[in-house]
């Protein structure tokens, strides 16, 4: 199917190859191969030169560092489910358990999910609610970008030619932080999201919300934070009726599309309902 395939065993070699040719990076291949098959079926050209990063040791692992956690770009959804991580990773963990089926979770990577930049990418809302940074390497060296600046649009990222994602960095939060994730699809499992929401709250010793981050996906070209709702949640006791803080105008920034899975009006309505449910879940789960 492809005219060239390389599987380097070091980051330097991967970057040298990337600098010299027009490669499609491939990790789990769970987006790349279905896209290639689709292209082939319609008589279009799919990716011709595959650069497989699954043998690059530097891209593997989850590291607890002084200021946060580093998640290598080979880390799969299953790795996240199994890892021992603080409670504020619960949103990402819940998302990991709902992506595709077990086979997809075992192969698909978190980095592949953000690089594919689908509006329905399940990792993006929980990672936005964790203030994730994306670590990028290329011939020029390395750089870091907030995830909110990395995803530029539907299937568009800030990656330049010759660059790849080496990992994600999640800044450390205080110990009394909690998170959740809710996804609505046309059925319970093995489904692409119609709408999804991730919430993270940081509490003080009296269980008052010091900081809140709410991110919603599949309801705009790029998943986004709801800053109005986040501000409204601050200062409330976590046991209060948090869902009552959501006002319809806080969703004005969303611009859902009509597609095969749902129309825009349904998506907007669903978004409001799942945000309320997520806030209730957080309150009752404390
Ligand atoms: C049956 C099925 C069910 C699915 N269900 C879901 C679901 O419920 N939710 C969901 O969000 N997704 C779902 N997906 C999509 C897919 O599994 C995920 O997006 C997965 O996380 C992609 O990771 P990957 O490692 O397989 O990416 P790949 O297919 O290897 O790559 C995806 C894209 O990212 C690029 N890329 C990968 N790694 C890097 C890197 N380190 N640096 C630069 N570019 C890179 C590739 O070039 C490609 O453009 C599903 C797919 C299938 C086939």
């Amino acid at each position: 199917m492809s005219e060239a395939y390389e599987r380097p065993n070091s980051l330097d070699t991967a970057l040298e190859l990337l600098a010299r040719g027009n490669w499609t990076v491939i990790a789990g291949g769970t987006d790349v191969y279905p896209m290639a098959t689709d292209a082939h079926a319609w008589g279009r050209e799919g990716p011709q030169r595959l650069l497989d990063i699954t043998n690059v040791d530097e891209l593997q692992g989850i590291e607890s560092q002084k200021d946060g956690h580093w998640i290598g770009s080979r880390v799969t959804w299953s790795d996240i489910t199994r890892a021992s991580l603080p409670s504020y990773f619960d949103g990402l963990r819940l998302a990991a358990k709902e992506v595709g089926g077990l086979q997809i979770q075992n192969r698909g990577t978190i980095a592949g999910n953000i690089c594919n930049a689908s509006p329905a990418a399940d990792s993006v809302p929980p990672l936005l609610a964790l203030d994730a940074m994306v670590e990028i390497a290329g011939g020029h060296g390395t750089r870091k970008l907030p995830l909110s600046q990395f995803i530029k649009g539907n299937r568009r990222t800030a990656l330049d030619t010759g660059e790849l994602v080496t990992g994600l960095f999640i800044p450390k939060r205080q110990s009394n932080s909690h998170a959740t994730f809710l996804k609505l699809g046309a059925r319970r499992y093995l489904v692409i999201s119609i709408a999804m929401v991730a919430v993270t709250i940081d509490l003080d010793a009296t269980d008052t919300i010091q900081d809140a981050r709410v991110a919603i996906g599949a309801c705009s070209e790029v998943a986004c934070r709801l800053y109005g709702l986040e501000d409204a949640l601050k200062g409330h006791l976590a046991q209060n009726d948090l869902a009552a803080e959501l006002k319809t105008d806080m969703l004005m920034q969303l611009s859902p599309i009509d597609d095969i899975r749902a129309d825009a009006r349904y998506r907007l309505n669903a978004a409001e309902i799942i945000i309320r449910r997520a806030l209730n879940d957080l309150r009752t789960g404390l």
Side-chain angles (χ1 to χ4, degrees):
M1 197 157 62
S2 53
E3 69 183 34
Y5 173 85
E6 289 285 349
R7 192 169 181 242
N9 57 13
S10 77
L11 182 56
D12 281 348
T13 313
L15 292 175
E16 275 166 30
L17 283 163
L18 269 182
R20 280 192 274 120
N22 182 23
W23 295 92
T24 298
V25 172
I26 181 167
T30 63
D31 277 314
V32 170
Y33 281 124
M35 266 188 275
T37 308
D38 185 62
H40 188 66
W42 290 97
R44 293 192 310 264
E45 199 172 79
Q48 293 300 302
R49 295 161 62 78
L50 298 179
L51 181 66
D52 182 342
I53 57 168
T54 55
N55 209 22
V56 179
D57 284 348
E58 295 103 305
L59 306 178
Q60 184 56 293
I62 301 175
E63 276 171 25
S64 173
Q65 301 177 344
K66 189 167 147 276
D67 301 324
H69 284 80
W70 179 81
I71 298 176
S73 60
R74 281 180 53 199
V75 167
T76 64
W77 296 97
S78 295
D79 292 332
I80 293 290
T81 310
R82 287 191 288 258
S84 168
L85 291 164
S87 56
Y88 49 85
F89 278 90
D90 285 353
L92 187 61
R93 207 188 325 262
L94 285 168
K97 287 181 179 166
E98 293 207 35
V99 164
L102 276 181
Q103 294 93 335
I104 297 294
Q105 292 165 19
N106 286 339
R107 294 294 308 173
T109 60
I110 310 297
N113 191 247
I114 63 160
C115 291
N116 192 51
S118 156
D122 281 338
S123 70
V124 178
L127 288 171
L128 285 176
L130 286 169
D131 292 325
M133 302 287 294
V134 184
E135 192 186 86
I136 297 165
H140 54 77
T142 60
R143 61 186 178 119
K144 267 187 191 172
L145 275 183
L147 178 60
S148 54
Q149 290 174 27
F150 176 78
I151 301 184
K152 298 277 204 198
N154 183 4
R155 316 276 173 185
R156 283 188 295 120
T157 70
L159 276 178
D160 283 333
T161 310
E163 288 187 324
L164 57 73
V165 169
T166 49
L168 290 153
F169 181 75
I170 313 295
K172 197 176 219 155
R173 312 219 76 85
Q174 62 192 64
S175 55
N176 202 5
S177 290
H178 304 268
T180 194
F181 170 84
L182 259 184
K183 157 175 173 173
L184 175 78
R187 53 179 185 268
R188 184 67 189 86
Y189 290 106
L190 252 177
V191 73
I192 301 296
S193 296
I194 289 172
M196 65 193 126
V197 61
V199 186
T200 308
I201 50 173
D202 299 338
L203 307 180
D204 69 9
T206 65
D207 276 355
T208 303
I209 298 178
Q210 298 298 299
D211 201 6
R213 285 165 306 285
V214 183
I216 183 114
C219 287
S220 42
E221 192 180 352
V222 182
C224 57
R225 296 258 303 264
L226 298 178
Y227 295 109
L229 175 58
E230 294 179 1
D231 286 343
L233 290 171
K234 286 178 205 164
H236 284 274
L237 270 180
Q239 289 82 0
N240 283 358
D241 179 9
L242 300 180
E245 296 308 313
L246 175 63
K247 308 286 181 269
T248 308
D249 63 352
M250 293 170 179
L251 303 178
M252 295 281 274
Q253 72 194 85
L254 302 182
S255 52
I257 53 161
D258 296 323
D259 72 3
I260 184 173
R261 285 182 279 277
D263 66 29
R265 219 161 58 125
Y266 180 87
R267 277 203 154 90
L268 212 49
N269 193 19
E272 189 168 340
I273 291 168
I274 62 169
I275 294 169
R276 289 188 201 285
R277 282 189 193 156
L279 292 171
N280 276 331
D281 286 356
L282 262 185
R283 182 175 65 143
T284 51
L286 290 174

